[in-house]
Amino acid sequence: MKTWPVNTTAPENTLPEKADLENIGLRKFQVPQKGEAGSFWEDRGDRYHCGVDLYAPENTEVVSVEGGIVAQTGLMTSPEILPYWNQTYYVIIEQSKGLFCKYGELAGFTVKEGNEIEPGQLIGHVGMVLNSGKIDGSCPFYIRKLKNKNPSMLHFELWKNQPITSHRNYLGGNWFGEEKPENLIDPTGYLERLLYV
């Protein structure tokens, strides 16, 4: 059994205006398509997007798509890395057939490395990666376009064999290079199939 990774009900501690995704042009169960903001391998001018962004209100529950073992947890973004970032985290779950799902830009996580995970098990909560108050003219253009829009999201990556989390070309879910890593998989189809389970 597989489960959609983001809870579809707004968390209790979300303000009503933040919970209304339609007002910011987003829908539940939407996987960004090629060329759309938050899509896989989106060209961001100076970098490429390594996953897809699943928009949801801040603090929405994030659950495991499939069962597996927590392979790694860690810090994904922080203002010490880039001043316009908030502190967020990631969880990587190793699934069957050598697939690794990376759940990123989490406000926090509820699992530990080595934990055995069931499908649909709570692993964390959606975080807010951008700090609009710190976005200025020195930021990349695609970041400046998000100032005061700042939707919260789950950043979801899919890797085969071994995920990259530390590399000179990898930072905060983006790849600073033209050539895509061989073991990075487009998660669009994987996630879309969940909508019909």
Side-chain angles (χ1 to χ4, degrees):
M1 180 180 150
K2 296 181 182 178
T3 307
W4 185 252
V6 181
N7 189 333
T8 58
T9 57
E12 290 179 22
N13 58 346
T14 298
L15 299 172
E17 61 271 17
K18 280 193 174 182
D20 188 1
L21 296 180
E22 297 293 336
N23 280 344
I24 55 174
L26 306 171
R27 299 186 321 270
K28 294 176 185 175
F29 301 118
Q30 181 178 1
V31 181
Q33 299 300 304
K34 186 174 178 71
E36 295 179 342
S39 61
F40 178 73
W41 211 243
E42 172 193 3
D43 184 349
R44 296 181 163 178
D46 62 342
R47 64 196 81 183
Y48 291 88
H49 193 224
C50 290
V52 295
D53 291 334
L54 303 176
Y55 299 96
E58 194 173 2
N59 297 315
T60 298
E61 292 180 342
V62 174
V63 299
S64 177
V65 172
E66 297 186 56
I69 303 292
V70 177
Q72 192 175 353
T73 61
L75 184 69
M76 185 155 184
T77 64
S78 90
E80 285 76 31
I81 300 169
L82 288 174
Y84 55 84
W85 276 350
N86 290 317
Q87 192 158 308
T88 66
Y89 303 90
Y90 69 85
V91 170
I92 297 174
I93 298 178
E94 181 177 2
Q95 299 171 172
S96 61
K97 301 174 190 162
L99 285 181
F100 291 80
C101 287
K102 181 176 182 177
Y103 303 79
E105 299 181 3
L106 302 172
F109 52 90
T110 60
V111 295
K112 294 179 181 172
E113 290 182 24
N115 284 168
E116 191 168 327
I117 303 296
E118 298 296 323
Q121 182 174 333
L122 178 69
I123 58 172
H125 293 86
V126 171
M128 182 72 73
V129 69
L130 296 179
N131 180 343
S132 282
K134 299 282 185 174
I135 296 174
D136 60 24
S138 69
C139 297
F141 180 68
Y142 82 93
I143 295 290
R144 286 180 282 168
K145 290 192 317 186
L146 294 171
K147 185 175 176 74
N148 299 322
K149 293 181 183 172
N150 205 7
S152 50
M153 68 200 71
L154 168 66
H155 172 87
F156 187 89
E157 295 176 14
L158 192 60
W159 297 82
K160 62 183 174 185
N161 301 324
Q162 187 63 44
I164 293 174
T165 56
S166 179
H167 188 282
R168 62 184 169 81
N169 287 346
Y170 183 87
L171 183 64
N174 295 284
W175 189 260
F176 291 80
E178 294 287 325
E179 194 169 321
K180 181 174 71 66
E182 286 183 15
N183 54 336
L184 179 62
I185 301 171
D186 182 349
T188 306
Y190 174 83
L191 290 168
E192 288 178 334
R193 284 190 289 276
L194 298 176
L195 301 177
Y196 306 104
V197 173

